[in-house]
Amino acid sequence: MTKNISYPWPLACGVLLVSAMAAFGHGGATGIVGERMMGMMMLGEQVKVLAPIADDPGPDDLGKVREAAAMIEMHAGAAMTDLFPEGSIEGPSEAKPAIWERWEEFAAYSNLLGELGRELDDAGEAAALPPLVEADVVPVSAEPTLSEWDRMDFAVLMGLATPEVIEIDPVSTASIETAAAVRTVAAIYADITKTCASCHAAFRQ
């Protein structure tokens, strides 16, 4: 009896992406075309590693997540765009001429992939950290509360001196930055697969 198994779309997208990468890597490409095909296949391997663990990575999976993140970052950004000198579509290359016609768009996809790789590493690192435990509070002996009258010295009281005034520069609340929440591995993985798929749809034969 065959069971109908429903996979989340990022996983399905990742599997299709890996298959496409494998096919992309064949054809005896050499030179710069061969180098970038190998780079794409390496990215596909990272997607393959992340696909089964992205939704709920366990403690033993976090090393794999961070290794995949490092490889994705390594092969993205300038490392990727440098492998596409203008007009390099000879041989078995499946790159479209649109890459050089819309270079800024192509570079933006590559840079975004690098940013997602770094974010994925942060998520893996955060997940590996032990949960925060409230520190023990050491009781401090309370000092007697003094009134404004008691705090004034004799010279001030007699009008012989003016109380010292401490000026505090106001701080705008708009200038206070709050730490951004770390996204889940699943959310970042979904963006990685969407970025790769969108780039391929636009710039690959």
Side-chain angles (χ1 to χ4, degrees), residues 66 120-129:
R66 299 196 67 186
L120 183 63
D121 182 66
D122 291 340
E125 181 181 18
L129 294 175

Side-chain angles (χ1 to χ4, degrees), residues 130-169:
L132 294 176
V133 178
E134 185 177 352
D136 293 333
V137 179
V138 179
V140 179
S141 57
E143 298 197 4
T145 303
L146 300 178
S147 66
E148 290 294 328
W149 177 269
D150 293 328
R151 284 198 294 268
M152 283 184 160
D153 62 23
F154 179 78
V156 173
L157 291 174
M158 298 303 294
L160 302 176
T162 56
E164 183 181 359
V165 178
I166 300 175
E167 294 184 359
I168 302 176
D169 294 330

Side-chain angles (χ1 to χ4, degrees), residues 7-17 47 50-53 55 189 193:
Y7 294 100
W9 79 263
L11 174 59
C13 180
V15 172
L16 291 175
L17 184 60
V47 172
L50 292 170
I53 63 176
D55 284 340
Y189 169 74
T193 58

Side-chain angles (χ1 to χ4, degrees), residues 105-120:
E105 182 183 347
F106 175 68
Y109 278 124
S110 183
N111 291 333
L112 175 58
L113 190 61
E115 293 171 6
L116 290 169
R118 288 189 290 276
E119 188 182 7
L120 183 63

Side-chain angles (χ1 to χ4, degrees), residues 82-96:
D82 287 349
L83 295 175
F84 286 84
E86 187 169 3
S88 56
I89 55 176
E90 70 281 357
S93 172
E94 296 188 17
K96 290 181 179 179

